[in-house]
């Protein structure tokens, strides 16, 4: 893999330069809107290059399991760049799956899945809609023992990459309430792609009826896993926010109206200054969250993940909306990418919990109260079809 040379130095700049060079050839900004609506939310050719040839899927996989074993800072840098380019590949899901499998890497099947992730030949989806407690409360799935076999039953919505996954990871509780992390083969699952606001991200509804499953560990940590997922999603949102800020600033510096560049108008300056402040706050929140992933306790990670989710969600919402406003009429057209960034931000802001969910959890963590992990995140906004936001289809 090309990136193997960057493992020792953990050179994030080399990593992002390599990814950016590939994106410039395989998924350039010019024509991106047309490709999104023509090809759908998964760019298989791009993933084959970035995942298999470049090896970005190996970034979050431990070296002992065939991965690169890089720091999470390198993973965060890659996620931010991929978010800034609206890439349609299962990188966020791969990072989450690697975190789940890394806790049980000594299991033969988990080791096999990690090796597949590292090589870019396997897509693993992880169900995070609702975080079950260790007693099984809140779990959307149950497991029944039939002889030596484990059979999982249940359903879940808004599963990232479920439509293209080879294997699905989920938490299920048995008849005694013992929670476990199970792997279910995609062939044994009824998968339905969902119509979501964001056309650059694949979300699915899974229905499982007594499917054979492999128990990977009976000591999962679903809350910690979700915190890792929130940090990964925050990195993606930071990339979206920063890209929109840069695009809006560049446009304001060149667009002439009433005989002046619009960047000289005070209203434009104030809007962009507010976005810049929000992006800097989000960047600081992500830096703290990266530290928490690598060195913090579970409590510190939980707080950092909630803060990052709040800060990055707010920054992406503000930056994408401002980008459309600064671009004026062209920003509202289907030909411009501004609406794709806006829709990515909308989806990310509610995918694994709303801002209210994260704020409530942060309050409970700060006051020492036990958070209600069984509370499912609000997902109604994800159900909005494109017509709810834009009246005309492309």
């Amino acid at each position: 893999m090309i990136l193997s040379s960057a493992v020792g130095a953990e050179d994030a700049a080399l990593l992002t330069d390599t990814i950016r060079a590939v994106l410039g050839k395989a998924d350039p900004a010019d024509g991106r809107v047309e490709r999104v609506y023509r090809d759908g939310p998964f760019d298989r050719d791009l993933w084959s290059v970035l995942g298999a040839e470049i090896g970005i899927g190996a970034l979050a996989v431990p070296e002992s399991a065939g991965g690169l074993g890089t720091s999470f800072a390198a993973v965060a840098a890659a996620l931010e760049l991929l978010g800034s380019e609206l890439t349609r590949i299962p990188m966020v899901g791969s990072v989450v799956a690697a975190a789940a499998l890394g806790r049980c890497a000594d299991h033969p099947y988990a080791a096999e899945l990690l090796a597949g992730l590292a090589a870019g030949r396997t897509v693993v989806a992880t169900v995070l809609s609702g975080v079950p407690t260790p007693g099984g409360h809140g779990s959307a799935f149950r497991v029944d023992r039939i002889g030596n076999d484990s059979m999982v039953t249940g359903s879940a919505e808004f599963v990232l990459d479920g439509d293209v996954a080879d294997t699905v990871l989920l938490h299920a509780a048995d008849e005694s309430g013992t929670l476990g992390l199970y792997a279910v083969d995609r062939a044994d699952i009824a998968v339905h792609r969902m119509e979501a606001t964001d056309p650059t991200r694949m979300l699915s509804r899974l229905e499982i009826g007594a499917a054979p499953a492999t128990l990977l560990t009976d000591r999962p940590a679903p809350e910690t896993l979700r915190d890792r997922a929130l940090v990964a999603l925050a990195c993606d949102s930071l990339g979206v926010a920063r890209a929109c800020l840069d695009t809006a600033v560049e446009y304001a510096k060149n667009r002439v109206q009433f005989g002046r560049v619009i960047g000289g108008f005070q209203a434009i300056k104030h809007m962009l200054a507010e976005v810049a402040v929000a992006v800097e706050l989000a960047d600081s929140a992500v830096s703290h969250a990266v530290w928490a992933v690598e060195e913090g306790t579970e409590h510190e990670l939980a707080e950092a993940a909630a803060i990052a989710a709040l800060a990055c969600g707010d920054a992406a919402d503000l930056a994408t909306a401002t980008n459309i406003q600064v671009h004026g009429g062209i920003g509202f057209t289907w030909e411009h990418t501004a609406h794709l960034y806006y829709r990515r931000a909308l989806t990310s802001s509610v995918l694994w919990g709303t801002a209210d969910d994260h704020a409530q959890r942060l309050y409970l963590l700060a006051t020492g109260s036990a958070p209600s992990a069984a509370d499912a995140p609000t997902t109604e906004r994800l159900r909005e079809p494109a017509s709810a936001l834009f009246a005309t289809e492309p």
Side-chain angles (χ1 to χ4, degrees), residues 186-200:
R186 163 68 172 78
D188 297 317
I189 304 174
V191 180
H192 309 278
R193 185 179 301 183
M194 304 181 69
E195 181 183 6
T197 300
D198 178 16
T200 69

Side-chain angles (χ1 to χ4, degrees), residues 7-198:
V7 175
E10 298 181 355
D11 191 347
L14 173 61
L15 169 64
T16 53
D17 286 346
T18 302
I19 297 174
R20 188 176 288 109
V22 173
L23 293 176
K25 296 180 179 180
D27 188 29
D30 291 342
R32 181 171 292 159
V33 175
E34 180 183 353
R35 291 193 300 275
V36 167
Y37 288 112
R38 182 192 65 206
D39 302 332
F42 179 45
D43 190 336
R44 191 175 297 275
D45 293 336
L46 179 60
W47 179 240
S48 67
V49 175
L50 288 176
E53 296 181 25
I54 303 301
I56 64 171
L59 291 172
V61 177
E63 191 172 5
S64 60
L68 296 178
T70 58
S71 67
F72 196 79
V75 176
L79 289 171
E80 181 182 342
L81 173 57
L82 295 171
S84 71
E85 297 290 340
L86 294 178
T87 51
R88 293 166 290 133
I89 60 174
M91 184 58 181
V92 172
S94 294
V95 171
V96 176
L101 295 168
R103 296 183 62 91
C104 50
D106 55 343
H107 190 288
Y109 190 42
E112 179 183 335
L113 291 175
L114 283 169
L117 285 174
R121 63 173 181 267
T122 303
V123 177
V124 181
T126 308
V127 177
L128 291 170
S129 53
V131 179
T133 63
H137 303 293
S139 175
F141 299 92
R142 75 172 192 273
V143 60
D144 299 309
R145 310 291 183 188
I146 302 177
N148 295 326
D149 297 326
S150 299
M151 310 298 289
V152 168
T153 301
S155 62
E157 294 184 323
F158 306 105
V159 178
L160 190 62
D161 305 324
D163 200 62
V164 295
D166 302 294
T167 303
V168 174
L169 304 180
L170 54 87
H171 295 90
D174 61 18
E175 56 273 9
S176 66
T178 301
L179 190 68
L181 177 67
Y182 293 83
V184 182
D185 191 271
R186 163 68 172 78
D188 297 317
I189 304 174
V191 180
H192 309 278
R193 185 179 301 183
M194 304 181 69
E195 181 183 6
T197 300
D198 178 16

